[in-house]
């Protein structure tokens, strides 16, 4: 009983840590909200069913590669040729180590976001992880849309400072990652 409880708790931790990032990763390629959710859910179902064989040291890489592969399959099946070709061109240029590095950088971004003041962190979560507009986030949090924008600017500045990125510099892996998250150039 304890072992299955530990399994469930660890799975829940992994799910909470990765779900949003995987969703946005999938959405970036398939450009469909429901399909992105389905893809990520299928990957989590697979790891649940194969939990004992999972290497927890590489779970992030496994998740991202699995979502990537499911996106490829989805695009193949649905013949979204432009999106599919763009996606394949993107991943073809990257070696396998790229996905591990991106996962490590994403963890670092999340650590920086976790150090933001509580309200700024909440604004980031509502706008970037829950995909709410500034107006929607303002209603949820109870501040004005201009207050939301101020918190976003504060959070973006913290990320740029941490990674020593100039606002116009789009040529670093960190810039690529932050752009992927949708938080660098707004």
């Amino acid at each position: 009983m304890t072992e299955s409880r530990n399994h469930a708790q660890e799975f829940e931790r992994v799910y909470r840590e990765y779900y949003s990032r995987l969703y946005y990763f999938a959405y970036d390629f398939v450009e469909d909200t429901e399909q992105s959710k389905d893809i990520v859910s299928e990957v989590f179902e697979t790891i649940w069913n194969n939990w004992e064989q999972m290497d927890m040291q590489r779970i992030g890489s496994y998740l991202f590669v699995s979502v990537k592969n499911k996106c490829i399959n989805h695009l193949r099946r649905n013949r979204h040729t432009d999106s599919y070709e763009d996606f394949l061109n993107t991943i073809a240029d990257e070696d396998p180590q790229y996905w591990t590095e991106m996962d490590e950088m994403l963890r670092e971004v999340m650590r920086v976001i976790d150090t933001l003041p509580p309200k700024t962190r909440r604004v980031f979560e509502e706008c970037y992880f829950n995909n709410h507009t500034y107006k929607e986030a303002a209603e949820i949090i109870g501040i004005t849309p201009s207050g939301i924008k101020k918190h976003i600017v504060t959070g973006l500045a913290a990320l740029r400072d941490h990674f020593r990125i100039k606002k116009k510099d789009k040529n670093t892996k960190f810039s690529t990652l932050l752009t992927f998250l949708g938080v660098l150039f707004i």
Side-chain angles (χ1 to χ4, degrees):
M1 179 89 152
T2 304
E3 187 175 321
S4 67
R5 185 177 302 154
N6 289 342
H7 171 121
Q9 289 173 336
E10 185 65 11
F11 178 84
E12 184 176 342
R13 183 195 64 76
V14 169
Y15 181 88
R16 288 176 188 244
E17 182 177 345
Y18 287 99
Y19 182 86
S20 292
R21 294 182 277 170
L22 292 169
Y23 165 79
Y24 286 108
F25 181 67
Y27 184 83
D28 197 40
F29 298 110
V30 298
E31 298 176 345
D32 180 284
T33 301
E34 291 306 313
Q35 191 58 50
S36 298
K37 289 177 183 177
D38 289 347
I39 287 169
V40 174
S41 293
E42 288 173 17
V43 169
F44 274 107
E45 181 180 2
T46 300
I47 69 163
W48 174 262
N49 292 331
N50 298 293
W51 188 256
E52 299 302 318
Q53 292 82 32
M54 290 293 127
D55 178 357
M56 296 311 292
Q57 299 292 71
R58 296 180 174 203
I59 192 75
S61 297
Y62 175 82
L63 289 167
F64 279 97
V65 169
S66 296
V67 168
K68 174 193 73 168
N69 290 338
K70 289 212 177 271
C71 288
I72 290 170
N73 290 338
H74 169 75
L75 292 171
R76 276 186 188 142
R77 278 192 312 268
N78 293 300
R79 298 291 182 216
H80 293 198
T81 54
D82 291 340
S83 295
Y84 178 62
E85 287 175 15
D86 289 346
F87 180 70
L88 287 179
N89 287 336
T90 299
I91 63 171
D93 293 337
E94 308 303 340
D95 63 49
Q97 183 64 27
Y98 173 82
W99 300 108
T100 302
E101 290 173 11
M102 289 300 278
D103 184 52
E104 289 170 14
M105 286 186 283
L106 190 51
R107 286 177 191 263
E108 186 66 19
V109 167
M110 297 307 293
R111 280 192 286 276
V112 173
I113 290 172
D114 286 343
T115 67
L116 295 173
K119 191 171 269 187
T120 302
R121 185 174 56 245
R122 174 100 191 273
V123 167
F124 251 71
E125 289 169 355
E126 293 300 331
C127 291
Y128 295 113
F129 302 138
N130 298 331
N131 207 24
H132 289 119
T133 64
Y134 286 8
K135 183 178 178 183
E136 292 168 338
E139 291 172 6
I140 292 167
I141 297 171
I143 62 177
T144 65
S146 63
I148 294 290
K149 186 170 183 168
K150 288 176 186 173
H151 284 285
I152 293 293
V153 167
T154 300
L156 292 174
L159 286 167
R160 286 188 201 104
D161 288 347
H162 181 82
F163 292 112
R164 294 179 185 98
I165 298 171
K166 295 180 180 165
K167 190 169 184 175
K168 301 297 183 201
D169 183 9
K170 296 182 182 182
N171 296 322
T172 69
K173 284 186 179 181
F174 288 116
S175 296
T176 302
L177 178 65
L178 296 176
T179 301
F180 164 69
L181 288 174
V183 298
L184 187 57
F185 305 105
I186 61 169

